[in-house]
Amino acid sequence: MFSLGLDFGSDSVRALLVNTETGEEVATSVHYYKRWKEGKYCNASTNQFRQHPLDYIEGIESTVRQIVAEVGEEVSKSIVGIGIDTTGSTPVAVNQQGIPLALTEGFEENPNAMFFLWKDHSAIAEAEYINEIAKNSTPDYLRFSGGLYSSEWFWSKLLYVLKNDAEVSEAMHSWVEHCDWMPYLLAGETDLQKMKRSTCAAGHKALWAKEHDGFPSSEFLNLLDPRLKKIRNSLSSETYPANIPAGNLSEEWANRLGLSTSVLVGIGALDAHMGAVGAGIKPYYLSKVMGTSTCDISVSAPEVTADKTVRGICGQVEGSVIPGLVGLEAGQ
């Protein structure tokens, strides 16, 4: 049997086919994002870095079809799973069907309707505001996020859109991480309530913690902006680790990729965390994942961390790296 891994990075998507019984790397493929390469929707002087969902869709088709063509029908019929990781926090505004607004009429060229790449720092003022409000909140929503919320993360970027683009704000039904949208897309889902959101992204970037019953409360978010209530209502309190299936590959995507609908699509996760898994991370080891940024990942047994929290990190979340262990992220 074989499994596909899809790694959506800052400028490209990489696909890797692995023999699940031997661990042998069978085939690889890379697709560079066309619009990103052209510099579209980005303005470094204002810290704006956006990516069009078509770059991701074209990347899936290009890389997977290349691998299928390379390995032949016999091997491709034995592909049983697809795993996905992405950069993060890289969220996007979606409609009620879970379609990114940039794929809908009237928003095709609007950067605020596209994915906010992890390194987009448009929301510096919004992050400062979140920190100001959160410092006096109960429960302490910053407790498991190092004590400080970042402009790179989920809620900061959402607040930026709400304050700067009335049309996108009115049209959006929810705000979705890239790593959550990809499995949802491949599974052919059209009901946003069925989206299984990643514990990894939610815990490290969106203030989700089981200790305070999931995402921040509507009361807290109302202090930030009353319009956040609509988004909060679209979020389930339950999230899922990467060892849980999001669903089967849909008939449409099976045909587009040359695969079978029996292929399972895993819950998505963030790239550095899955890179640590690939490096063999275990307790008392530190994994440094070096790309367009450097992320330090470690894992610990829950009884070791217990009530301890670490200042200045990017989250400590049980199940975000390896099920049953607390994942801790830091870096630059």
Side-chain angles (χ1 to χ4, degrees), residues 202-238:
H204 288 276
K205 311 299 179 182
L207 299 177
W208 181 93
K210 64 180 182 180
E211 289 82 357
H212 52 242
D213 300 322
F215 292 102
S217 68
S218 296
E219 291 75 18
F220 171 75
L221 295 175
N222 189 62
L223 294 175
L224 300 176
D225 192 308
R227 292 171 292 182
L228 288 173
K229 182 178 180 181
K230 177 176 75 171
I231 306 302
R232 180 63 180 87
N233 289 341
S234 72
L235 303 176
S236 169
S237 292
E238 187 173 10

PDB file of all heavy atoms in Angstrom, residues 202-238:
ATOM      1  N   ALA A 202      -5.992  25.062  15.378  1.00  0.00           N
ATOM      2  CA  ALA A 202      -6.875  25.736  16.325  1.00  0.00           C
ATOM      3  C   ALA A 202      -6.159  26.033  17.638  1.00  0.00           C
ATOM      4  O   ALA A 202      -6.289  27.125  18.211  1.00  0.00           O
ATOM      5  CB  ALA A 202      -8.117  24.882  16.585  1.00  0.00           C
ATOM      6  N   GLY A 203      -5.378  25.074  18.121  1.00  0.00           N
ATOM      7  CA  GLY A 203      -4.708  25.239  19.398  1.00  0.00           C
ATOM      8  C   GLY A 203      -3.544  26.194  19.361  1.00  0.00           C
ATOM      9  O   GLY A 203      -3.342  26.987  20.293  1.00  0.00           O
ATOM     10  N   HIS A 204      -2.765  26.150  18.290  1.00  0.00           N
ATOM     11  CA  HIS A 204      -1.568  26.984  18.230  1.00  0.00           C
ATOM     12  C   HIS A 204      -1.826  28.377  17.673  1.00  0.00           C
ATOM     13  O   HIS A 204      -1.034  29.291  17.932  1.00  0.00           O
ATOM     14  CB  HIS A 204      -0.484  26.293  17.396  1.00  0.00           C
ATOM     15  CG  HIS A 204       0.145  25.122  18.085  1.00  0.00           C
ATOM     16  ND1 HIS A 204       1.177  25.242  18.992  1.00  0.00           N
ATOM     17  CD2 HIS A 204      -0.140  23.792  18.025  1.00  0.00           C
ATOM     18  CE1 HIS A 204       1.509  24.052  19.446  1.00  0.00           C
ATOM     19  NE2 HIS A 204       0.732  23.144  18.878  1.00  0.00           N
ATOM     20  N   LYS A 205      -2.910  28.565  16.928  1.00  0.00           N
ATOM     21  CA  LYS A 205      -3.114  29.849  16.259  1.00  0.00           C
ATOM     22  C   LYS A 205      -4.443  30.534  16.567  1.00  0.00           C
ATOM     23  O   LYS A 205      -4.613  31.710  16.264  1.00  0.00           O
ATOM     24  CB  LYS A 205      -3.012  29.667  14.729  1.00  0.00           C
ATOM     25  CG  LYS A 205      -1.797  28.889  14.251  1.00  0.00           C
ATOM     26  CD  LYS A 205      -0.475  29.547  14.628  1.00  0.00           C
ATOM     27  CE  LYS A 205       0.717  28.724  14.155  1.00  0.00           C
ATOM     28  NZ  LYS A 205       2.015  29.308  14.555  1.00  0.00           N
ATOM     29  N   ALA A 206      -5.411  29.801  17.142  1.00  0.00           N
ATOM     30  CA  ALA A 206      -6.758  30.361  17.281  1.00  0.00           C
ATOM     31  C   ALA A 206      -7.286  30.314  18.711  1.00  0.00           C
ATOM     32  O   ALA A 206      -8.497  30.385  18.923  1.00  0.00           O
ATOM     33  CB  ALA A 206      -7.729  29.652  16.334  1.00  0.00           C
ATOM     34  N   LEU A 207      -6.401  30.205  19.694  1.00  0.00           N
ATOM     35  CA  LEU A 207      -6.777  30.264  21.113  1.00  0.00           C
ATOM     36  C   LEU A 207      -7.718  29.144  21.540  1.00  0.00           C
ATOM     37  O   LEU A 207      -8.412  29.269  22.550  1.00  0.00           O
ATOM     38  CB  LEU A 207      -7.411  31.627  21.444  1.00  0.00           C
ATOM     39  CG  LEU A 207      -6.527  32.855  21.238  1.00  0.00           C
ATOM     40  CD1 LEU A 207      -7.305  34.126  21.540  1.00  0.00           C
ATOM     41  CD2 LEU A 207      -5.276  32.785  22.104  1.00  0.00           C
ATOM     42  N   TRP A 208      -7.743  28.044  20.772  1.00  0.00           N
ATOM     43  CA  TRP A 208      -8.544  26.894  21.189  1.00  0.00           C
ATOM     44  C   TRP A 208      -7.801  26.125  22.283  1.00  0.00           C
ATOM     45  O   TRP A 208      -6.599  25.895  22.193  1.00  0.00           O
ATOM     46  CB  TRP A 208      -8.779  25.963  19.998  1.00  0.00           C
ATOM     47  CG  TRP A 208      -9.612  24.751  20.327  1.00  0.00           C
ATOM     48  CD1 TRP A 208     -10.958  24.628  20.208  1.00  0.00           C
ATOM     49  CD2 TRP A 208      -9.125  23.492  20.836  1.00  0.00           C
ATOM     50  NE1 TRP A 208     -11.351  23.366  20.614  1.00  0.00           N
ATOM     51  CE2 TRP A 208     -10.258  22.652  21.016  1.00  0.00           C
ATOM     52  CE3 TRP A 208      -7.876  22.998  21.172  1.00  0.00           C
ATOM     53  CZ2 TRP A 208     -10.150  21.347  21.498  1.00  0.00           C
ATOM     54  CZ3 TRP A 208      -7.768  21.705  21.673  1.00  0.00           C
ATOM     55  CH2 TRP A 208      -8.898  20.890  21.819  1.00  0.00           C
ATOM     56  N   ALA A 209      -8.536  25.746  23.317  1.00  0.00           N
ATOM     57  CA  ALA A 209      -7.961  24.890  24.366  1.00  0.00           C
ATOM     58  C   ALA A 209      -9.095  24.154  25.053  1.00  0.00           C
ATOM     59  O   ALA A 209     -10.137  24.741  25.361  1.00  0.00           O
ATOM     60  CB  ALA A 209      -7.176  25.719  25.383  1.00  0.00           C
ATOM     61  N   LYS A 210      -8.900  22.879  25.282  1.00  0.00           N
ATOM     62  CA  LYS A 210      -9.947  22.104  25.952  1.00  0.00           C
ATOM     63  C   LYS A 210     -10.157  22.604  27.373  1.00  0.00           C
ATOM     64  O   LYS A 210     -11.243  22.445  27.953  1.00  0.00           O
ATOM     65  CB  LYS A 210      -9.610  20.617  25.931  1.00  0.00           C
ATOM     66  CG  LYS A 210      -8.351  20.225  26.691  1.00  0.00           C
ATOM     67  CD  LYS A 210      -8.123  18.715  26.606  1.00  0.00           C
ATOM     68  CE  LYS A 210      -6.896  18.292  27.403  1.00  0.00           C
ATOM     69  NZ  LYS A 210      -6.670  16.830  27.322  1.00  0.00           N
ATOM     70  N   GLU A 211      -9.125  23.250  27.952  1.00  0.00           N
ATOM     71  CA  GLU A 211      -9.228  23.739  29.319  1.00  0.00           C
ATOM     72  C   GLU A 211     -10.259  24.858  29.469  1.00  0.00           C
ATOM     73  O   GLU A 211     -10.775  25.092  30.558  1.00  0.00           O
ATOM     74  CB  GLU A 211      -7.858  24.234  29.822  1.00  0.00           C
ATOM     75  CG  GLU A 211      -6.862  23.120  30.085  1.00  0.00           C
ATOM     76  CD  GLU A 211      -6.142  22.643  28.832  1.00  0.00           C
ATOM     77  OE1 GLU A 211      -6.463  23.139  27.714  1.00  0.00           O
ATOM     78  OE2 GLU A 211      -5.246  21.783  28.952  1.00  0.00           O
ATOM     79  N   HIS A 212     -10.521  25.603  28.376  1.00  0.00           N
ATOM     80  CA  HIS A 212     -11.607  26.600  28.431  1.00  0.00           C
ATOM     81  C   HIS A 212     -12.691  26.301  27.390  1.00  0.00           C
ATOM     82  O   HIS A 212     -13.270  27.191  26.789  1.00  0.00           O
ATOM     83  CB  HIS A 212     -11.090  28.038  28.315  1.00  0.00           C
ATOM     84  CG  HIS A 212     -10.191  28.297  27.136  1.00  0.00           C
ATOM     85  ND1 HIS A 212      -8.885  28.699  27.272  1.00  0.00           N
ATOM     86  CD2 HIS A 212     -10.405  28.242  25.800  1.00  0.00           C
ATOM     87  CE1 HIS A 212      -8.340  28.878  26.093  1.00  0.00           C
ATOM     88  NE2 HIS A 212      -9.245  28.614  25.183  1.00  0.00           N
ATOM     89  N   ASP A 213     -12.911  24.996  27.210  1.00  0.00           N
ATOM     90  CA  ASP A 213     -14.036  24.508  26.388  1.00  0.00           C
ATOM     91  C   ASP A 213     -13.969  24.940  24.927  1.00  0.00           C
ATOM     92  O   ASP A 213     -14.988  25.240  24.309  1.00  0.00           O
ATOM     93  CB  ASP A 213     -15.381  24.951  26.999  1.00  0.00           C
ATOM     94  CG  ASP A 213     -15.571  24.415  28.404  1.00  0.00           C
ATOM     95  OD1 ASP A 213     -15.165  23.258  28.654  1.00  0.00           O
ATOM     96  OD2 ASP A 213     -16.097  25.148  29.256  1.00  0.00           O
ATOM     97  N   GLY A 214     -12.770  24.936  24.377  1.00  0.00           N
ATOM     98  CA  GLY A 214     -12.642  25.164  22.935  1.00  0.00           C
ATOM     99  C   GLY A 214     -12.202  26.563  22.582  1.00  0.00           C
ATOM    100  O   GLY A 214     -11.328  27.144  23.230  1.00  0.00           O
ATOM    101  N   PHE A 215     -12.814  27.123  21.547  1.00  0.00           N
ATOM    102  CA  PHE A 215     -12.482  28.477  21.096  1.00  0.00           C
ATOM    103  C   PHE A 215     -12.959  29.504  22.128  1.00  0.00           C
ATOM    104  O   PHE A 215     -13.817  29.204  22.969  1.00  0.00           O
ATOM    105  CB  PHE A 215     -13.134  28.746  19.737  1.00  0.00           C
ATOM    106  CG  PHE A 215     -12.569  27.927  18.609  1.00  0.00           C
ATOM    107  CD1 PHE A 215     -13.247  26.818  18.130  1.00  0.00           C
ATOM    108  CD2 PHE A 215     -11.361  28.269  18.023  1.00  0.00           C
ATOM    109  CE1 PHE A 215     -12.733  26.054  17.086  1.00  0.00           C
ATOM    110  CE2 PHE A 215     -10.832  27.520  16.977  1.00  0.00           C
ATOM    111  CZ  PHE A 215     -11.517  26.413  16.505  1.00  0.00           C
ATOM    112  N   PRO A 216     -12.446  30.733  22.064  1.00  0.00           N
ATOM    113  CA  PRO A 216     -12.903  31.774  22.997  1.00  0.00           C
ATOM    114  C   PRO A 216     -14.417  31.953  22.943  1.00  0.00           C
ATOM    115  O   PRO A 216     -15.052  31.747  21.906  1.00  0.00           O
ATOM    116  CB  PRO A 216     -12.179  33.023  22.493  1.00  0.00           C
ATOM    117  CG  PRO A 216     -10.950  32.506  21.830  1.00  0.00           C
ATOM    118  CD  PRO A 216     -11.359  31.206  21.190  1.00  0.00           C
ATOM    119  N   SER A 217     -14.984  32.349  24.059  1.00  0.00           N
ATOM    120  CA  SER A 217     -16.433  32.487  24.168  1.00  0.00           C
ATOM    121  C   SER A 217     -16.951  33.648  23.325  1.00  0.00           C
ATOM    122  O   SER A 217     -16.212  34.586  22.992  1.00  0.00           O
ATOM    123  CB  SER A 217     -16.824  32.717  25.618  1.00  0.00           C
ATOM    124  OG  SER A 217     -16.367  33.993  26.050  1.00  0.00           O
ATOM    125  N   SER A 218     -18.238  33.597  23.020  1.00  0.00           N
ATOM    126  CA  SER A 218     -18.885  34.688  22.292  1.00  0.00           C
ATOM    127  C   SER A 218     -18.783  35.993  23.079  1.00  0.00           C
ATOM    128  O   SER A 218     -18.663  37.077  22.492  1.00  0.00           O
ATOM    129  CB  SER A 218     -20.349  34.347  22.021  1.00  0.00           C
ATOM    130  OG  SER A 218     -20.451  33.229  21.170  1.00  0.00           O
ATOM    131  N   GLU A 219     -18.833  35.891  24.406  1.00  0.00           N
ATOM    132  CA  GLU A 219     -18.755  37.090  25.253  1.00  0.00           C
ATOM    133  C   GLU A 219     -17.401  37.783  25.082  1.00  0.00           C
ATOM    134  O   GLU A 219     -17.335  39.015  24.952  1.00  0.00           O
ATOM    135  CB  GLU A 219     -18.973  36.708  26.719  1.00  0.00           C
ATOM    136  CG  GLU A 219     -20.376  36.261  27.068  1.00  0.00           C
ATOM    137  CD  GLU A 219     -20.706  34.860  26.585  1.00  0.00           C
ATOM    138  OE1 GLU A 219     -19.749  34.090  26.274  1.00  0.00           O
ATOM    139  OE2 GLU A 219     -21.900  34.533  26.511  1.00  0.00           O
ATOM    140  N   PHE A 220     -16.332  36.993  25.081  1.00  0.00           N
ATOM    141  CA  PHE A 220     -15.004  37.577  24.886  1.00  0.00           C
ATOM    142  C   PHE A 220     -14.863  38.165  23.487  1.00  0.00           C
ATOM    143  O   PHE A 220     -14.389  39.297  23.311  1.00  0.00           O
ATOM    144  CB  PHE A 220     -13.922  36.517  25.114  1.00  0.00           C
ATOM    145  CG  PHE A 220     -12.542  36.964  24.728  1.00  0.00           C
ATOM    146  CD1 PHE A 220     -11.832  37.845  25.514  1.00  0.00           C
ATOM    147  CD2 PHE A 220     -11.952  36.504  23.549  1.00  0.00           C
ATOM    148  CE1 PHE A 220     -10.552  38.278  25.156  1.00  0.00           C
ATOM    149  CE2 PHE A 220     -10.681  36.920  23.178  1.00  0.00           C
ATOM    150  CZ  PHE A 220      -9.987  37.809  23.991  1.00  0.00           C
ATOM    151  N   LEU A 221     -15.280  37.411  22.486  1.00  0.00           N
ATOM    152  CA  LEU A 221     -15.154  37.884  21.109  1.00  0.00           C
ATOM    153  C   LEU A 221     -16.011  39.121  20.864  1.00  0.00           C
ATOM    154  O   LEU A 221     -15.645  39.996  20.063  1.00  0.00           O
ATOM    155  CB  LEU A 221     -15.538  36.771  20.129  1.00  0.00           C
ATOM    156  CG  LEU A 221     -14.601  35.548  20.152  1.00  0.00           C
ATOM    157  CD1 LEU A 221     -15.140  34.450  19.246  1.00  0.00           C
ATOM    158  CD2 LEU A 221     -13.184  35.932  19.728  1.00  0.00           C
ATOM    159  N   ASN A 222     -17.138  39.237  21.552  1.00  0.00           N
ATOM    160  CA  ASN A 222     -17.998  40.410  21.415  1.00  0.00           C
ATOM    161  C   ASN A 222     -17.283  41.677  21.879  1.00  0.00           C
ATOM    162  O   ASN A 222     -17.526  42.770  21.347  1.00  0.00           O
ATOM    163  CB  ASN A 222     -19.283  40.204  22.212  1.00  0.00           C
ATOM    164  CG  ASN A 222     -20.305  41.287  21.946  1.00  0.00           C
ATOM    165  OD1 ASN A 222     -20.762  41.455  20.821  1.00  0.00           O
ATOM    166  ND2 ASN A 222     -20.659  42.050  22.980  1.00  0.00           N
ATOM    167  N   LEU A 223     -16.389  41.518  22.856  1.00  0.00           N
ATOM    168  CA  LEU A 223     -15.597  42.660  23.304  1.00  0.00           C
ATOM    169  C   LEU A 223     -14.655  43.143  22.209  1.00  0.00           C
ATOM    170  O   LEU A 223     -14.351  44.340  22.118  1.00  0.00           O
ATOM    171  CB  LEU A 223     -14.790  42.288  24.546  1.00  0.00           C
ATOM    172  CG  LEU A 223     -15.583  41.968  25.825  1.00  0.00           C
ATOM    173  CD1 LEU A 223     -14.641  41.495  26.915  1.00  0.00           C
ATOM    174  CD2 LEU A 223     -16.367  43.190  26.285  1.00  0.00           C
ATOM    175  N   LEU A 224     -14.196  42.208  21.394  1.00  0.00           N
ATOM    176  CA  LEU A 224     -13.292  42.563  20.300  1.00  0.00           C
ATOM    177  C   LEU A 224     -14.056  43.204  19.150  1.00  0.00           C
ATOM    178  O   LEU A 224     -13.654  44.248  18.621  1.00  0.00           O
ATOM    179  CB  LEU A 224     -12.553  41.312  19.802  1.00  0.00           C
ATOM    180  CG  LEU A 224     -11.682  40.583  20.817  1.00  0.00           C
ATOM    181  CD1 LEU A 224     -11.103  39.307  20.200  1.00  0.00           C
ATOM    182  CD2 LEU A 224     -10.544  41.486  21.295  1.00  0.00           C
ATOM    183  N   ASP A 225     -15.156  42.558  18.746  1.00  0.00           N
ATOM    184  CA  ASP A 225     -15.996  43.059  17.657  1.00  0.00           C
ATOM    185  C   ASP A 225     -17.279  42.231  17.637  1.00  0.00           C
ATOM    186  O   ASP A 225     -17.195  40.999  17.509  1.00  0.00           O
ATOM    187  CB  ASP A 225     -15.271  42.930  16.308  1.00  0.00           C
ATOM    188  CG  ASP A 225     -15.969  43.691  15.184  1.00  0.00           C
ATOM    189  OD1 ASP A 225     -17.193  43.489  14.994  1.00  0.00           O
ATOM    190  OD2 ASP A 225     -15.304  44.484  14.496  1.00  0.00           O
ATOM    191  N   PRO A 226     -18.450  42.849  17.771  1.00  0.00           N
ATOM    192  CA  PRO A 226     -19.713  42.091  17.797  1.00  0.00           C
ATOM    193  C   PRO A 226     -19.917  41.197  16.579  1.00  0.00           C
ATOM    194  O   PRO A 226     -20.623  40.189  16.655  1.00  0.00           O
ATOM    195  CB  PRO A 226     -20.777  43.190  17.871  1.00  0.00           C
ATOM    196  CG  PRO A 226     -20.071  44.353  18.502  1.00  0.00           C
ATOM    197  CD  PRO A 226     -18.672  44.289  17.986  1.00  0.00           C
ATOM    198  N   ARG A 227     -19.292  41.548  15.461  1.00  0.00           N
ATOM    199  CA  ARG A 227     -19.460  40.750  14.244  1.00  0.00           C
ATOM    200  C   ARG A 227     -18.779  39.377  14.348  1.00  0.00           C
ATOM    201  O   ARG A 227     -19.043  38.483  13.540  1.00  0.00           O
ATOM    202  CB  ARG A 227     -18.921  41.512  13.036  1.00  0.00           C
ATOM    203  CG  ARG A 227     -19.742  42.737  12.670  1.00  0.00           C
ATOM    204  CD  ARG A 227     -19.049  43.583  11.616  1.00  0.00           C
ATOM    205  NE  ARG A 227     -17.834  44.202  12.137  1.00  0.00           N
ATOM    206  CZ  ARG A 227     -17.055  45.026  11.426  1.00  0.00           C
ATOM    207  NH1 ARG A 227     -17.381  45.311  10.168  1.00  0.00           N
ATOM    208  NH2 ARG A 227     -15.969  45.550  11.961  1.00  0.00           N
ATOM    209  N   LEU A 228     -17.910  39.223  15.344  1.00  0.00           N
ATOM    210  CA  LEU A 228     -17.245  37.934  15.528  1.00  0.00           C
ATOM    211  C   LEU A 228     -18.205  36.850  16.003  1.00  0.00           C
ATOM    212  O   LEU A 228     -17.899  35.658  15.890  1.00  0.00           O
ATOM    213  CB  LEU A 228     -16.093  38.069  16.524  1.00  0.00           C
ATOM    214  CG  LEU A 228     -14.854  38.821  16.024  1.00  0.00           C
ATOM    215  CD1 LEU A 228     -13.873  39.028  17.159  1.00  0.00           C
ATOM    216  CD2 LEU A 228     -14.195  38.075  14.879  1.00  0.00           C
ATOM    217  N   LYS A 229     -19.359  37.247  16.529  1.00  0.00           N
ATOM    218  CA  LYS A 229     -20.330  36.259  17.008  1.00  0.00           C
ATOM    219  C   LYS A 229     -20.750  35.321  15.886  1.00  0.00           C
ATOM    220  O   LYS A 229     -20.897  34.113  16.090  1.00  0.00           O
ATOM    221  CB  LYS A 229     -21.548  36.957  17.607  1.00  0.00           C
ATOM    222  CG  LYS A 229     -22.590  35.997  18.162  1.00  0.00           C
ATOM    223  CD  LYS A 229     -23.762  36.738  18.779  1.00  0.00           C
ATOM    224  CE  LYS A 229     -24.795  35.765  19.326  1.00  0.00           C
ATOM    225  NZ  LYS A 229     -25.964  36.477  19.925  1.00  0.00           N
ATOM    226  N   LYS A 230     -20.964  35.886  14.685  1.00  0.00           N
ATOM    227  CA  LYS A 230     -21.357  35.062  13.546  1.00  0.00           C
ATOM    228  C   LYS A 230     -20.297  34.018  13.239  1.00  0.00           C
ATOM    229  O   LYS A 230     -20.616  32.850  12.972  1.00  0.00           O
ATOM    230  CB  LYS A 230     -21.591  35.943  12.312  1.00  0.00           C
ATOM    231  CG  LYS A 230     -21.946  35.157  11.049  1.00  0.00           C
ATOM    232  CD  LYS A 230     -22.257  36.081   9.873  1.00  0.00           C
ATOM    233  CE  LYS A 230     -21.008  36.703   9.298  1.00  0.00           C
ATOM    234  NZ  LYS A 230     -21.277  37.431   8.018  1.00  0.00           N
ATOM    235  N   ILE A 231     -19.039  34.407  13.300  1.00  0.00           N
ATOM    236  CA  ILE A 231     -17.946  33.472  13.015  1.00  0.00           C
ATOM    237  C   ILE A 231     -17.859  32.426  14.124  1.00  0.00           C
ATOM    238  O   ILE A 231     -17.707  31.229  13.849  1.00  0.00           O
ATOM    239  CB  ILE A 231     -16.611  34.219  12.883  1.00  0.00           C
ATOM    240  CG1 ILE A 231     -16.712  35.349  11.855  1.00  0.00           C
ATOM    241  CG2 ILE A 231     -15.504  33.240  12.506  1.00  0.00           C
ATOM    242  CD1 ILE A 231     -17.114  34.913  10.469  1.00  0.00           C
ATOM    243  N   ARG A 232     -17.989  32.871  15.371  1.00  0.00           N
ATOM    244  CA  ARG A 232     -17.915  31.921  16.499  1.00  0.00           C
ATOM    245  C   ARG A 232     -19.004  30.859  16.399  1.00  0.00           C
ATOM    246  O   ARG A 232     -18.768  29.688  16.703  1.00  0.00           O
ATOM    247  CB  ARG A 232     -18.043  32.687  17.828  1.00  0.00           C
ATOM    248  CG  ARG A 232     -17.989  31.783  19.078  1.00  0.00           C
ATOM    249  CD  ARG A 232     -16.643  31.097  19.163  1.00  0.00           C
ATOM    250  NE  ARG A 232     -16.547  30.222  20.324  1.00  0.00           N
ATOM    251  CZ  ARG A 232     -16.936  28.953  20.353  1.00  0.00           C
ATOM    252  NH1 ARG A 232     -17.500  28.408  19.285  1.00  0.00           N
ATOM    253  NH2 ARG A 232     -16.767  28.219  21.437  1.00  0.00           N
ATOM    254  N   ASN A 233     -20.172  31.247  15.925  1.00  0.00           N
ATOM    255  CA  ASN A 233     -21.277  30.294  15.796  1.00  0.00           C
ATOM    256  C   ASN A 233     -21.012  29.241  14.722  1.00  0.00           C
ATOM    257  O   ASN A 233     -21.638  28.184  14.717  1.00  0.00           O
ATOM    258  CB  ASN A 233     -22.581  31.025  15.480  1.00  0.00           C
ATOM    259  CG  ASN A 233     -23.105  31.809  16.662  1.00  0.00           C
ATOM    260  OD1 ASN A 233     -22.730  31.555  17.802  1.00  0.00           O
ATOM    261  ND2 ASN A 233     -23.955  32.800  16.403  1.00  0.00           N
ATOM    262  N   SER A 234     -20.086  29.528  13.813  1.00  0.00           N
ATOM    263  CA  SER A 234     -19.763  28.575  12.747  1.00  0.00           C
ATOM    264  C   SER A 234     -18.662  27.602  13.161  1.00  0.00           C
ATOM    265  O   SER A 234     -18.314  26.700  12.396  1.00  0.00           O
ATOM    266  CB  SER A 234     -19.330  29.321  11.482  1.00  0.00           C
ATOM    267  OG  SER A 234     -18.037  29.897  11.639  1.00  0.00           O
ATOM    268  N   LEU A 235     -18.103  27.788  14.355  1.00  0.00           N
ATOM    269  CA  LEU A 235     -16.999  26.956  14.830  1.00  0.00           C
ATOM    270  C   LEU A 235     -17.494  25.936  15.840  1.00  0.00           C
ATOM    271  O   LEU A 235     -18.124  26.309  16.839  1.00  0.00           O
ATOM    272  CB  LEU A 235     -15.918  27.820  15.487  1.00  0.00           C
ATOM    273  CG  LEU A 235     -15.309  28.940  14.652  1.00  0.00           C
ATOM    274  CD1 LEU A 235     -14.343  29.748  15.510  1.00  0.00           C
ATOM    275  CD2 LEU A 235     -14.608  28.391  13.434  1.00  0.00           C
ATOM    276  N   SER A 236     -17.207  24.675  15.599  1.00  0.00           N
ATOM    277  CA  SER A 236     -17.508  23.649  16.586  1.00  0.00           C
ATOM    278  C   SER A 236     -16.467  23.703  17.693  1.00  0.00           C
ATOM    279  O   SER A 236     -15.317  24.113  17.474  1.00  0.00           O
ATOM    280  CB  SER A 236     -17.487  22.263  15.930  1.00  0.00           C
ATOM    281  OG  SER A 236     -17.516  21.251  16.905  1.00  0.00           O
ATOM    282  N   SER A 237     -16.858  23.316  18.899  1.00  0.00           N
ATOM    283  CA  SER A 237     -15.889  23.277  19.993  1.00  0.00           C
ATOM    284  C   SER A 237     -14.929  22.104  19.859  1.00  0.00           C
ATOM    285  O   SER A 237     -13.875  22.074  20.481  1.00  0.00           O
ATOM    286  CB  SER A 237     -16.615  23.185  21.339  1.00  0.00           C
ATOM    287  OG  SER A 237     -17.312  24.383  21.600  1.00  0.00           O
ATOM    288  N   GLU A 238     -15.304  21.122  19.030  1.00  0.00           N
ATOM    289  CA  GLU A 238     -14.483  19.931  18.863  1.00  0.00           C
ATOM    290  C   GLU A 238     -13.487  20.115  17.726  1.00  0.00           C
ATOM    291  O   GLU A 238     -13.826  20.632  16.663  1.00  0.00           O
ATOM    292  CB  GLU A 238     -15.367  18.714  18.574  1.00  0.00           C
ATOM    293  CG  GLU A 238     -14.620  17.396  18.553  1.00  0.00           C
ATOM    294  CD  GLU A 238     -15.532  16.202  18.430  1.00  0.00           C
ATOM    295  OE1 GLU A 238     -16.741  16.382  18.179  1.00  0.00           O
ATOM    296  OE2 GLU A 238     -15.034  15.066  18.589  1.00  0.00           O
TER     297      GLU A 238
END
